[in-house]
Short mmCIF file of all heavy atoms in Angstrom, two decimals:
data_model
loop_
_atom_site.label_atom_id
_atom_site.label_comp_id
_atom_site.label_asym_id
_atom_site.label_seq_id
_atom_site.Cartn_x
_atom_site.Cartn_y
_atom_site.Cartn_z
N TYR A 640 -8.25 -0.95 10.99
CA TYR A 640 -8.17 -2.30 10.45
C TYR A 640 -7.21 -3.22 11.21
O TYR A 640 -6.48 -4.01 10.60
CB TYR A 640 -7.83 -2.27 8.96
CG TYR A 640 -8.81 -1.49 8.14
CD1 TYR A 640 -8.53 -0.18 7.75
CD2 TYR A 640 -10.05 -2.04 7.80
CE1 TYR A 640 -9.46 0.56 7.02
CE2 TYR A 640 -10.98 -1.30 7.07
CZ TYR A 640 -10.68 -0.01 6.69
OH TYR A 640 -11.60 0.72 5.98
N PRO A 641 -7.18 -3.15 12.55
CA PRO A 641 -6.28 -4.05 13.29
C PRO A 641 -6.68 -5.51 13.16
O PRO A 641 -5.89 -6.40 13.52
CB PRO A 641 -6.42 -3.56 14.73
CG PRO A 641 -7.79 -2.97 14.80
CD PRO A 641 -7.98 -2.32 13.45
N GLU A 642 -7.88 -5.79 12.64
CA GLU A 642 -8.31 -7.16 12.42
C GLU A 642 -7.61 -7.81 11.23
O GLU A 642 -7.77 -9.01 10.99
CB GLU A 642 -9.83 -7.23 12.24
CG GLU A 642 -10.37 -6.38 11.11
CD GLU A 642 -10.75 -4.95 11.52
OE1 GLU A 642 -10.18 -4.43 12.50
OE2 GLU A 642 -11.60 -4.37 10.84
N HIS A 643 -6.84 -7.01 10.49
CA HIS A 643 -6.10 -7.52 9.33
C HIS A 643 -4.59 -7.33 9.54
O HIS A 643 -4.16 -6.41 10.25
CB HIS A 643 -6.49 -6.76 8.06
CG HIS A 643 -7.94 -6.85 7.71
ND1 HIS A 643 -8.54 -8.00 7.25
CD2 HIS A 643 -8.93 -5.92 7.75
CE1 HIS A 643 -9.82 -7.78 7.02
NE2 HIS A 643 -10.08 -6.53 7.33
N ALA A 644 -3.80 -8.15 8.90
CA ALA A 644 -2.36 -7.90 8.83
C ALA A 644 -2.13 -6.59 8.10
O ALA A 644 -2.95 -6.17 7.27
CB ALA A 644 -1.66 -9.04 8.09
N PHE A 645 -1.01 -5.93 8.38
CA PHE A 645 -0.81 -4.59 7.83
C PHE A 645 -0.93 -4.56 6.32
O PHE A 645 -1.60 -3.68 5.75
CB PHE A 645 0.56 -4.04 8.26
CG PHE A 645 0.80 -2.63 7.77
CD1 PHE A 645 0.18 -1.55 8.38
CD2 PHE A 645 1.63 -2.40 6.68
CE1 PHE A 645 0.38 -0.25 7.92
CE2 PHE A 645 1.85 -1.10 6.22
CZ PHE A 645 1.22 -0.03 6.84
N ALA A 646 -0.31 -5.50 5.64
CA ALA A 646 -0.35 -5.48 4.17
C ALA A 646 -1.76 -5.67 3.63
O ALA A 646 -2.05 -5.26 2.50
CB ALA A 646 0.59 -6.54 3.61
N ASP A 647 -2.63 -6.30 4.41
CA ASP A 647 -4.00 -6.52 3.96
C ASP A 647 -4.92 -5.33 4.24
O ASP A 647 -6.07 -5.30 3.78
CB ASP A 647 -4.58 -7.76 4.65
CG ASP A 647 -3.84 -9.04 4.25
OD1 ASP A 647 -3.33 -9.09 3.11
OD2 ASP A 647 -3.76 -9.96 5.08
N ARG A 648 -4.44 -4.36 4.98
CA ARG A 648 -5.27 -3.21 5.33
C ARG A 648 -5.51 -2.29 4.14
O ARG A 648 -6.51 -1.57 4.09
CB ARG A 648 -4.64 -2.44 6.50
CG ARG A 648 -4.55 -3.29 7.76
CD ARG A 648 -3.87 -2.56 8.92
NE ARG A 648 -3.61 -3.50 10.01
CZ ARG A 648 -3.10 -3.17 11.19
NH1 ARG A 648 -2.78 -1.89 11.44
NH2 ARG A 648 -2.89 -4.09 12.10
N PHE A 649 -4.60 -2.30 3.18
CA PHE A 649 -4.78 -1.47 1.98
C PHE A 649 -6.04 -1.91 1.23
O PHE A 649 -6.88 -1.08 0.86
CB PHE A 649 -3.56 -1.59 1.06
CG PHE A 649 -2.29 -1.03 1.64
CD1 PHE A 649 -1.53 -1.76 2.54
CD2 PHE A 649 -1.85 0.24 1.28
CE1 PHE A 649 -0.35 -1.23 3.08
CE2 PHE A 649 -0.68 0.77 1.80
CZ PHE A 649 0.06 0.03 2.71
N ALA A 650 -6.19 -3.21 1.04
CA ALA A 650 -7.37 -3.72 0.35
C ALA A 650 -8.63 -3.43 1.14
O ALA A 650 -9.67 -3.07 0.56
CB ALA A 650 -7.22 -5.22 0.11
N ALA A 651 -8.57 -3.59 2.46
CA ALA A 651 -9.75 -3.34 3.30
C ALA A 651 -10.19 -1.89 3.21
O ALA A 651 -11.39 -1.59 3.10
CB ALA A 651 -9.44 -3.72 4.75
N ALA A 652 -9.23 -0.97 3.23
CA ALA A 652 -9.56 0.45 3.13
C ALA A 652 -10.18 0.77 1.77
O ALA A 652 -11.16 1.52 1.67
CB ALA A 652 -8.32 1.30 3.36
N ALA A 653 -9.62 0.20 0.71
CA ALA A 653 -10.17 0.44 -0.63
C ALA A 653 -11.59 -0.11 -0.74
O ALA A 653 -12.46 0.54 -1.33
CB ALA A 653 -9.27 -0.18 -1.68
N ARG A 654 -11.84 -1.28 -0.18
CA ARG A 654 -13.19 -1.85 -0.23
C ARG A 654 -14.20 -0.95 0.46
O ARG A 654 -15.38 -0.88 0.06
CB ARG A 654 -13.21 -3.24 0.41
CG ARG A 654 -12.60 -4.34 -0.44
CD ARG A 654 -12.98 -5.71 0.09
NE ARG A 654 -12.49 -5.92 1.45
CZ ARG A 654 -11.32 -6.45 1.77
NH1 ARG A 654 -10.48 -6.82 0.79
NH2 ARG A 654 -10.96 -6.63 3.02
N ASP A 655 -13.76 -0.26 1.50
CA ASP A 655 -14.67 0.61 2.25
C ASP A 655 -14.84 1.98 1.60
O ASP A 655 -15.60 2.81 2.11
CB ASP A 655 -14.17 0.77 3.69
CG ASP A 655 -14.50 -0.44 4.54
OD1 ASP A 655 -15.49 -1.13 4.24
OD2 ASP A 655 -13.76 -0.70 5.52
N GLY A 656 -14.14 2.23 0.51
CA GLY A 656 -14.34 3.47 -0.22
C GLY A 656 -13.28 4.53 -0.03
O GLY A 656 -13.38 5.63 -0.59
N PHE A 657 -12.25 4.26 0.74
CA PHE A 657 -11.17 5.23 0.91
C PHE A 657 -10.35 5.31 -0.38
O PHE A 657 -10.09 4.30 -1.04
CB PHE A 657 -10.26 4.85 2.07
CG PHE A 657 -10.86 5.06 3.42
CD1 PHE A 657 -11.41 4.00 4.13
CD2 PHE A 657 -10.89 6.33 4.00
CE1 PHE A 657 -11.98 4.19 5.39
CE2 PHE A 657 -11.46 6.53 5.25
CZ PHE A 657 -12.00 5.46 5.95
N GLU A 658 -9.94 6.51 -0.70
CA GLU A 658 -9.08 6.73 -1.85
C GLU A 658 -7.65 7.06 -1.45
O GLU A 658 -6.78 7.22 -2.32
CB GLU A 658 -9.64 7.85 -2.72
CG GLU A 658 -11.02 7.52 -3.28
CD GLU A 658 -11.59 8.66 -4.09
OE1 GLU A 658 -11.23 8.78 -5.28
OE2 GLU A 658 -12.40 9.44 -3.54
N ALA A 659 -7.40 7.19 -0.16
CA ALA A 659 -6.06 7.47 0.34
C ALA A 659 -5.89 6.81 1.70
O ALA A 659 -6.87 6.53 2.41
CB ALA A 659 -5.81 8.97 0.46
N VAL A 660 -4.65 6.58 2.04
CA VAL A 660 -4.29 6.02 3.34
C VAL A 660 -3.11 6.80 3.89
O VAL A 660 -2.43 7.54 3.17
CB VAL A 660 -3.94 4.52 3.25
CG1 VAL A 660 -5.16 3.70 2.84
CG2 VAL A 660 -2.79 4.28 2.28
N GLU A 661 -2.88 6.64 5.18
CA GLU A 661 -1.68 7.15 5.83
C GLU A 661 -1.24 6.12 6.85
O GLU A 661 -1.97 5.16 7.15
CB GLU A 661 -1.95 8.50 6.50
CG GLU A 661 -3.00 8.43 7.61
CD GLU A 661 -3.26 9.78 8.28
OE1 GLU A 661 -3.21 10.81 7.59
OE2 GLU A 661 -3.50 9.79 9.51
N CYS A 662 -0.04 6.27 7.38
CA CYS A 662 0.42 5.37 8.42
C CYS A 662 1.52 6.07 9.20
O CYS A 662 2.03 7.12 8.79
CB CYS A 662 0.93 4.05 7.84
SG CYS A 662 2.41 4.18 6.81
N LEU A 663 1.88 5.48 10.33
CA LEU A 663 2.99 6.06 11.10
C LEU A 663 4.31 5.77 10.40
O LEU A 663 5.01 6.68 9.98
CB LEU A 663 2.98 5.51 12.52
CG LEU A 663 1.83 5.93 13.42
CD1 LEU A 663 2.07 5.43 14.85
CD2 LEU A 663 1.63 7.43 13.43
N PHE A 664 4.66 4.50 10.30
CA PHE A 664 6.00 4.14 9.81
C PHE A 664 5.88 3.02 8.78
O PHE A 664 5.50 1.90 9.14
CB PHE A 664 6.89 3.71 10.98
CG PHE A 664 6.86 4.67 12.13
CD1 PHE A 664 6.28 4.31 13.34
CD2 PHE A 664 7.39 5.94 12.01
CE1 PHE A 664 6.24 5.20 14.40
CE2 PHE A 664 7.35 6.84 13.06
CZ PHE A 664 6.77 6.46 14.27
N PRO A 665 6.24 3.27 7.54
CA PRO A 665 6.11 2.25 6.49
C PRO A 665 7.35 1.38 6.32
O PRO A 665 7.37 0.51 5.45
CB PRO A 665 5.90 3.11 5.24
CG PRO A 665 6.73 4.33 5.50
CD PRO A 665 6.62 4.58 6.99
N TYR A 666 8.36 1.58 7.13
CA TYR A 666 9.69 1.08 6.80
C TYR A 666 9.87 -0.43 6.96
O TYR A 666 10.88 -0.98 6.50
CB TYR A 666 10.73 1.83 7.64
CG TYR A 666 10.55 3.32 7.57
CD1 TYR A 666 10.04 4.04 8.66
CD2 TYR A 666 10.83 4.01 6.40
CE1 TYR A 666 9.83 5.41 8.57
CE2 TYR A 666 10.63 5.37 6.30
CZ TYR A 666 10.13 6.07 7.40
OH TYR A 666 9.91 7.42 7.31
N ALA A 667 8.90 -1.12 7.55
CA ALA A 667 9.01 -2.58 7.66
C ALA A 667 8.79 -3.26 6.31
O ALA A 667 9.17 -4.42 6.13
CB ALA A 667 8.00 -3.11 8.68
N LEU A 668 8.18 -2.55 5.38
CA LEU A 668 7.95 -3.07 4.04
C LEU A 668 8.80 -2.31 3.03
O LEU A 668 8.96 -1.09 3.16
CB LEU A 668 6.48 -2.94 3.64
CG LEU A 668 5.46 -3.75 4.44
CD1 LEU A 668 4.05 -3.44 3.95
CD2 LEU A 668 5.74 -5.24 4.34
N PRO A 669 9.34 -2.99 2.02
CA PRO A 669 10.08 -2.26 0.99
C PRO A 669 9.15 -1.39 0.16
O PRO A 669 7.94 -1.65 0.06
CB PRO A 669 10.70 -3.39 0.14
CG PRO A 669 9.84 -4.57 0.39
CD PRO A 669 9.33 -4.45 1.80
N THR A 670 9.71 -0.35 -0.43
CA THR A 670 8.89 0.56 -1.23
C THR A 670 8.19 -0.17 -2.37
O THR A 670 7.06 0.18 -2.73
CB THR A 670 9.73 1.71 -1.79
OG1 THR A 670 10.82 1.17 -2.56
CG2 THR A 670 10.28 2.58 -0.68
N SER A 671 8.84 -1.18 -2.94
CA SER A 671 8.23 -1.89 -4.07
C SER A 671 6.94 -2.58 -3.64
O SER A 671 5.95 -2.59 -4.40
CB SER A 671 9.21 -2.91 -4.64
OG SER A 671 9.63 -3.83 -3.63
#
């Protein structure tokens, strides 16, 4: 999903039917 900003990739993955995601480094965003 490089066509989306990182925070928008969660929604894109869910729309495509994924029930889980992974990533390299989540630390640019707060846990909340």
Side-chain angles (χ1 to χ4, degrees):
Y640 301 100
E642 57 270 26
H643 300 290
F645 183 76
D647 296 330
R648 297 178 190 184
F649 294 81
R654 284 195 299 269
D655 282 332
F657 287 100
E658 298 178 82
V660 295
E661 62 179 36
C662 65
L663 292 187
F664 311 112
Y666 310 108
L668 295 177
T670 57
S671 57

